[in-house]
Amino acid sequence: MMLTGGLAFLIFLLVIGLPTLLKSFGVNQEYERAVLFRLGRLGEAKGPGWYWLIPWVDRVQKVDLRTITSVLDTQETVTRDGVPVKVNAVLWFRAKDSTRVVTTVINWQGAVVQAAETAMRDVIGQSDLDGMLKDRMLINVKLQEMMAKACDHWGVVVDSIELKDMDIPEQMQRAIGREAEAIREKRARIIKAEGERDAATTLAEAAGIVSGTPGALEMRRLQALTEIGVEHNSTIIAMMPVELIEAAKRIAEK
């Protein structure tokens, strides 16, 4: 009977003592923090490595401090100028203060994602389509600022949030394409007009120089005849220079 009672006591100690021993200490990885609650009251957060607990009195909740990447669901909203768009984004965030993450919000990761989707809808509603297409970085900066205000009191840091895809109606895509084509055509016409103006200015300057020098004018005429005569099938009818005709008249008069 004594052996049976001792065995029962030993089994009782194992049943009670083993769970108590397991609850007396814990281990955190380098990227983990354990928020301590002692009889329901907040205690000091435990850092990486092992730590002791008071069995049946202390309770801990672990928080992962690594950066979390989340692809936000596609949001369908309207821009400030009335264009319906569908956008999604990528969010990078992490817990900075493990104590505030646990004590200020339930499901802090889900709360951050919901705040990001709401901020994305608000920023797009305050932006024009042209601004979104031309300067997407500005939209990202506005999103970052809104997320910083929303998540700071939760103990969460938003490292980055960036628009990933943006889908606009097909008719608007065609309109944008026509606008871009018109802009390129306008630029081409301006460049062509500037080239013609420069060429005309250069020709006018050259004509002024040649007209002021009779010999130069004659040399230019002979050069043109030489260029035309390169083609052997060409027939050239050349007029005598006025200067030679006048000189011949003077010689004949004498």
Side-chain angles (χ1 to χ4, degrees):
M1 292 295 296
M2 292 184 62
L3 289 175
T4 303
L7 183 59
F9 181 73
L10 180 60
I11 293 174
F12 175 78
L13 289 180
L14 290 175
V15 171
I16 299 300
L18 186 59
T20 302
L21 181 64
L22 293 176
K23 287 180 174 293
S24 63
F25 71 95
V27 177
N28 282 338
Q29 303 296 328
E30 184 66 31
Y31 52 82
E32 290 180 327
R33 297 294 183 272
V35 181
L36 175 66
F37 293 91
R38 178 163 296 168
L39 294 177
R41 292 184 177 274
L42 180 65
E44 183 180 357
K46 303 298 182 180
W50 63 274
Y51 52 89
W52 289 102
L53 300 173
I54 300 176
W56 313 107
V57 174
D58 292 343
R59 181 180 64 86
V60 294
Q61 185 170 343
K62 291 187 177 182
V63 177
D64 196 322
L65 302 182
R66 291 176 293 182
T67 299
I68 301 172
T69 303
S70 177
V71 179
L72 303 180
D73 294 336
T74 300
Q75 302 295 309
E76 185 172 359
T77 183
V78 180
T79 62
R80 185 170 59 181
D81 49 353
V83 180
V85 295
K86 296 179 181 180
V87 294
N88 63 356
V90 182
L91 174 66
W92 291 269
F93 64 100
R94 55 186 171 86
K96 180 179 70 172
D97 189 335
S98 57
T99 300
R100 292 168 66 186
V101 163
V102 173
T103 57
T104 59
V105 61
I106 299 176
N107 186 13
W108 65 278
Q109 297 181 13
V112 173
V113 170
Q114 292 296 322
E117 292 178 352
T118 303
M120 186 167 58
R121 295 175 65 92
D122 291 342
V123 170
I124 292 173
Q126 299 171 7
S127 304
D128 296 330
L129 180 62
D130 288 343
M132 294 176 58
L133 295 175
K134 295 177 181 178
D135 194 359
R136 187 173 295 189
M137 291 299 298
L138 181 60
I139 303 297
N140 295 336
V141 171
K142 291 182 179 180
L143 284 172
Q144 184 89 16
E145 293 175 352
M146 293 186 66
M147 289 299 297
K149 294 179 181 178
C151 300
D152 182 66
H153 67 283
W154 293 340
V156 178
V157 174
V158 177
D159 293 327
S160 180
I161 178 171
E162 298 182 4
L163 292 181
K164 184 180 179 182
D165 297 318
M166 182 168 59
D167 186 17
I168 60 179
E170 185 176 353
Q171 61 271 20
M172 185 59 63
Q173 295 180 18
R174 291 196 296 267
I176 293 173
R178 290 194 298 269
E179 180 183 0
E181 184 179 357
I183 292 174
R184 288 194 297 269
E185 184 177 355
K186 174 185 175 182
R187 189 180 299 118
R189 290 185 177 182
I190 292 175
I191 294 173
K192 183 179 179 181
E194 291 176 350
E196 292 178 352
R197 181 193 61 190
D198 295 341
T201 302
T202 304
L203 287 174
E205 293 175 356
I209 296 173
V210 171
S211 62
T213 309
L217 182 60
E218 180 61 22
M219 290 297 297
R220 184 70 186 91
R221 189 177 75 89
L222 294 175
Q223 182 181 359
L225 293 175
T226 304
E227 294 174 354
I228 296 173
V230 173
E231 296 292 336
H232 300 289
N233 296 328
S234 301
T235 301
I236 303 174
I237 300 175
M239 298 295 294
M240 292 294 292
V242 177
E243 292 82 359
L244 293 178
I245 296 175
E246 292 179 352
K249 286 182 179 180
R250 287 194 295 270
I251 293 173
E253 291 175 355
K254 291 180 179 181

